[in-house]
Structures are given as C-alpha cells and as structure tokens.
Amino acid sequence: MPVASVVHFIALTAIAAAVVYRATTWREDNKAPAGRALSLTMVNLFALYLLGWAPAYWLAYDLLGRVPSLPQVIQHVVWMAMSFYAHIFVIRVSAPARQLRRRLRFGRALFGAALPLLLIGYVIGPLRIGLPIVGPSGTHDPGVLVYDLIWETHNIIVLVDVLLVRWRGMTIESTYLRIGVRFMGLGCLIWLVMLIHKVAYQTIVGLGYDLPYEENGVHGIQFLFSAPGVCFLVIGMTIPSWGPRVARYRHQRRAYRHLTPLWEALAPARTAIPVAAPRGPHARLRHRVIGIRDALVGPLRDHLDENTIHLAKREAMRSGLTDDDAQAVAEAALIAAAVSAHSHSGSASITAPPAPRLRREENFDAETAWLVKVSQAYRHSPIVPAVLRRQSLP
C-alpha cells in the first residue's frame, strides 16, 4: 500500500477517534458557541478525510448517480465548512470583545459568498466537461481552474485571518485552551502553505503546462503537508478536553508519591485504621490524605507537643525560610517527635496538655498540597532530625 494511503488511513482513524471523544462533551458544547463551532470543525474534518479516501470517494460517486465530480464538490464544501467553523471558534476565543461581531460577520459573509461561487465554478468547470474527479496532476481546463481557485481562495483567506486573529488577539486565560489554539495555529500555517502550493500547481497546469510530479493522490506530495497539519489540528481541537484530565492525573500521581515519606513515617500510628483497596489515582490519594489526618487527630493527637512546634518554627525562621515553609518544617518536626513518643511510650497520659493546632485547608486539593509540603519537609529538612536530637537530650 502506498505511503500516502497509509498516512491518510491513520489520519482518518485519528480524526474519527477525536470526533468520538469530542462527542462526550456535545451537551456542554451546545451551550457554548465556541464549543459548538469546535465540534463542527472536527465533524467536517472527518468528512473531508473520509471523502478524500479513494474507496469512499468512488462509492459516493456511484451512490450519487455518477454525476461528474459531485463527491469532490461535496468534499470541497465540507473543507470550506471546516475552515469556516474553525474560523468562528478562533474568533470567539481569541478576538477582543470590541472586534467580535465584526469578525464574525466577516467570516459568515465570506462563507456565504464562496458557496454560490463554488457552484458556479462547478457548472463551468468539472460538470461542463464531465470530469469524474480532478486528478492528482490537475486538468488543462480554465473552467476547472476557476472552480479550484474559488474554494482554495476562500480557505486561504480564512487561514490568514485565523492566524491574524490569534496573533493579534487578547490572551486566552484558560491554559489548555490557549495551548489548543496555538496547536491549531500551527496546523493552519502548514495547511496555508499546502493551499498556496495547490494554487500555484493548479494554475500552472490550468494554463496548459505540465509539472513532473503529482500534487495529490497516492503519489502526490500533498500528504507531506496534510499529515502534520491534521496532527496539529486534532491535538489543538481535543487538548482543551483531555489536557486538564491528564494534568490532574499526573498531579495526583505526583502528590501520592510525594506523600510517601509522611505516610510511611506514620505507619506505627495507622495500625487501627482500616485498610482499604481504593482504585484509581484520586481514590488512592484521598485514602492517603485521610489516613494521614486520621493518624494525627487519633493515635498521635496526645503526643503533639506545643513546645516542639514552636522550637522547630523558630529554627526554621532563623535559617531564612518563609513563614509557609517554616510552618511546614515545624509541623514535620512535630509529627516526627510525636511518632517517636508514640513508638516508645504507647498511649499518652489522660492529663496530656491540649495538642497544638495544625494547619488545615478548606478543600481537598489545598489540603493535599499542604500535606505534600509537610511530607517533603519531613524527608529533606535538616531541622527535623536536629529538633528530634534536641528533644531526646536529658
């Protein structure tokens, strides 16, 4: 199988997977014009690549009654629609508010004018000469050249405006939406080069000259632009959805790993805590955070000494740490001293003084971040063992 066919099939499969993935957010997309435009961009991109696959094209050609080049006209309309919706999406997420309506009107007017012109070009070009498909080497016919220049010019104008809107537009606050638009911009830039090459190639052929290579098809060079362009587009269109999920997964795995020193240190005080078998990174992380807090308010509570935390914080502040870092070191030293006391003496006296108040956060993510900070101080700070040594002196 030719390399171009393999690349095309891989791209088609990747786009189909992206469309299916995007369909999971369709309900939310319908509530947001930008999201709806992005989903429609992906649907049209899939239709574009499906009709660009030779078996699908000739099947459509037969099903449509063998009308000359009709599947290709549909393919080019779909390509224009994909460009239009991508244009609308970028405008809605990037254009300044004062330019939004003007930009949207421009995009809609451009698409609305290009569609009837494309049909006129089809009548005076491929339909007039009964052409089943505009082949990979072009056609020596001025009417076909006019037809090709109409849809290519529309897409070139759209791609140029997409790049201008993105580069001149306001900063996008959402990190992954910003990254996605940048990837889409790279894809648009590559496809812009591809379309400029198409215009030059088909103009030369339309004027009666031949070129020593094919522009598209299984032996054409279009796939050199199309493949990387579609990769950037698919990544850019899907990363606003899966990017935050992947980042959260990685964050939870990292937090779980960074809590290990504190979790292992509290093992002697966790014997009374039921052992569960949570599944998934969030469940495992939650189990670990709750286990640490349960050990501190349960078995270790009466071993937490006010003097220890004050001593450790003074030493930490004296070493030049910020107040937050000093508090984390102080709590790490307090926990280390409490674990040591618990291991040596078991249960504390009933008359033990009130335990010092440890820092608590309002939500789970902030609580996790704070315990990670304490755990890392427990593992790395030299103040923790120094305080323990001082506490052990008679």
Side-chain angles (χ1 to χ4, degrees):
M1 184 181 290
V3 175
S5 295
V6 174
V7 171
H8 191 104
F9 183 75
I10 292 172
L12 183 61
T13 304
I15 297 166
V19 169
V20 172
Y21 177 80
R22 189 73 193 176
T24 60
T25 62
W26 180 254
R27 182 174 298 178
E28 290 77 11
D29 289 347
N30 273 336
K31 300 175 183 177
R36 185 166 58 250
L38 184 59
S39 294
L40 291 171
T41 300
M42 295 183 66
V43 170
N44 281 285
L45 180 62
F46 173 75
L48 169 65
Y49 266 74
L50 182 62
L51 285 171
W53 188 37
Y57 181 91
W58 293 113
L59 176 63
Y61 183 72
D62 291 336
L63 292 176
L64 293 172
R66 296 178 174 266
V67 178
S69 296
L70 185 56
Q72 198 164 42
V73 175
I74 296 172
Q75 183 188 23
H76 292 155
V77 170
V78 165
W79 196 338
M80 291 167 57
M82 182 201 70
S83 299
F84 167 71
Y85 284 116
H87 194 197
I88 295 300
F89 168 73
V90 173
I91 289 172
R92 287 196 175 277
V93 300
S94 298
R98 64 182 182 278
Q99 298 181 8
L100 183 61
R101 290 186 178 180
R102 179 172 60 83
R103 291 280 188 181
L104 290 173
R105 282 198 302 267
F106 171 72
R108 290 164 181 159
L110 181 65
F111 184 58
L115 280 177
L117 288 176
L118 183 73
L119 295 178
I120 293 171
Y122 168 63
V123 171
I124 66 175
L127 183 63
R128 176 180 58 82
I129 63 175
L131 193 66
I133 188 173
V134 178
S137 297
T139 304
H140 297 301
D141 185 84
V144 175
L145 175 61
V146 170
Y147 166 78
D148 284 329
L149 290 180
I150 290 169
W151 70 265
E152 289 166 355
T153 301
H154 168 270
N155 289 341
I156 287 173
I157 294 172
V158 168
L159 292 176
V160 169
D161 198 55
V162 164
L163 295 174
L164 290 176
V165 169
R166 177 64 196 99
W167 286 339
R168 294 179 180 177
M170 62 188 300
T171 302
I172 301 173
E173 294 183 2
S174 173
T175 300
Y176 288 97
L177 181 57
R178 183 169 63 251
I179 293 171
V181 173
R182 287 176 179 173
F183 270 102
M184 287 183 67
L186 287 173
C188 288
L189 185 60
I190 293 170
W191 276 29
L192 178 61
V193 174
M194 177 182 71
L195 284 169
I196 292 172
H197 174 265
K198 269 183 173 292
V199 168
Y201 185 99
Q202 290 168 351
T203 300
I204 291 171
V205 173
L207 294 176
Y209 301 95
D210 290 313
L211 291 171
Y213 63 94
E214 293 181 352
E215 193 276 325
N216 60 69
V218 295
H219 302 295
I221 67 167
Q222 176 178 301
F223 82 96
L224 295 176
F225 301 103
S226 178
V230 78
C231 286
F232 284 122
L233 286 172
V234 169
I235 292 172
M237 287 186 285
T238 57
I239 199 172
S241 297
W242 58 259
R245 299 180 187 180
V246 172
R248 184 166 181 79
Y249 175 81
R250 292 181 60 191
H251 172 75
Q252 289 172 346
R253 289 288 299 270
R254 190 184 307 114
Y256 181 85
R257 187 172 62 252
H258 287 170
L259 284 173
T260 299
L262 196 54
W263 177 255
E264 293 178 348
L266 291 172
R270 288 189 288 105
T271 54
I273 299 174
V275 177
R279 296 181 179 180
H282 179 72
R284 290 195 297 269
L285 178 62
R286 194 172 190 86
H287 176 259
R288 181 159 285 192
V289 169
I290 292 173
I292 290 172
R293 280 303 182 194
D294 283 351
L296 294 177
V297 300
L300 291 185
R301 183 177 185 278
D302 293 334
H303 294 287
L304 301 176
D305 180 55
E306 189 82 33
N307 293 328
T308 302
I309 194 169
H310 287 320
L311 172 63
K313 188 162 186 179
R314 280 200 305 270
E315 292 294 326
M317 295 293 287
R318 194 177 300 161
S319 68
L321 296 179
T322 63
D323 187 68
D324 261 13
D325 290 341
Q327 181 66 23
V329 170
E331 291 195 14
L334 176 68
I335 293 169
V339 170
S340 178
H342 180 271
S343 300
H344 287 89
S345 61
S347 298
S349 170
I350 297 177
T351 59
R357 292 186 62 183
L358 300 180
R359 178 166 166 177
R360 299 295 297 267
E361 298 294 342
E362 294 181 357
N363 59 69
F364 177 76
D365 288 341
E367 180 76 357
T368 301
W370 176 249
L371 288 179
V372 164
K373 198 176 185 72
V374 174
S375 180
Q376 294 301 288
Y378 186 95
R379 181 176 184 177
H380 297 294
S381 175
I383 297 173
V384 174
V387 169
L388 277 182
R389 287 194 297 269
R390 290 184 60 177
Q391 294 283 54
S392 64
L393 293 176

